[in-house]
Amino acid sequence: MSAGDRPMAVQVTLYLHEDDEWHHRSLYLEVLRYLHEENVAGAVAYHTVAGFMGRMRLKTATLVDAGGRLPVVVTFVDTDEHVQRVMPRLKEMAAHRLIVRENVVVEQGSLD
């Protein structure tokens, strides 16, 4: 367990674009569907109002030409074992995007 008897968990963040697709469907929604089907403890997608990825131009929701290129961030938290089980498929689905994994401490609530 650890950090003063608080459970340890893993948080994964995927940095996507709103126009990314998986089998002709919105990638971020397909990622959420997959995580839900796999009974991940919890996941959320944040549709950003501004941002950039890599060395690309800054996009904002006010730019007329943003056109589907705003970042969408998907974050989920679960046990290390569960994360290891879903990661291969996520890496396949978002092969061209940044995925970050970090160990976290659950301060409140549970992963059930």
Side-chain angles (χ1 to χ4, degrees):
M1 199 111 25
S2 219
D5 286 343
R6 292 175 296 190
M8 297 298 291
V10 174
Q11 179 173 298
V12 177
T13 304
L14 294 88
Y15 294 88
L16 311 173
H17 279 185
E18 63 188 341
D19 67 346
D20 286 341
E21 292 185 348
W22 175 254
H23 298 281
H24 306 292
R25 295 186 191 131
S26 173
L27 177 59
Y28 74 92
L29 289 175
E30 290 303 303
V31 166
L32 288 176
R33 280 189 192 99
Y34 171 67
L35 294 173
H36 187 258
E37 288 170 5
E38 292 297 321
N39 296 313
V40 166
V44 64
Y46 302 97
H47 194 138
T48 64
V49 296
F52 66 93
M53 293 180 48
R55 302 209 184 339
M56 297 176 72
R57 184 171 163 241
L58 176 66
K59 301 288 185 176
T60 70
T62 59
L63 285 176
V64 175
D65 68 344
R69 299 299 291 172
L70 287 170
V72 174
V73 178
V74 176
T75 301
F76 70 96
V77 177
D78 211 323
T79 62
D80 182 55
E81 178 182 327
H82 209 158
V83 169
Q84 285 184 37
R85 188 167 54 77
V86 300
M87 282 305 292
R89 175 73 170 196
L90 293 175
K91 288 178 180 179
E92 177 186 350
M93 294 173 79
H96 57 296
R97 296 293 177 222
L98 178 65
I99 301 175
V100 177
R101 172 194 169 115
E102 57 192 320
N103 293 327
V104 295
V105 175
V106 176
E107 287 291 332
Q108 184 170 310
S110 73
L111 297 177
D112 297 328

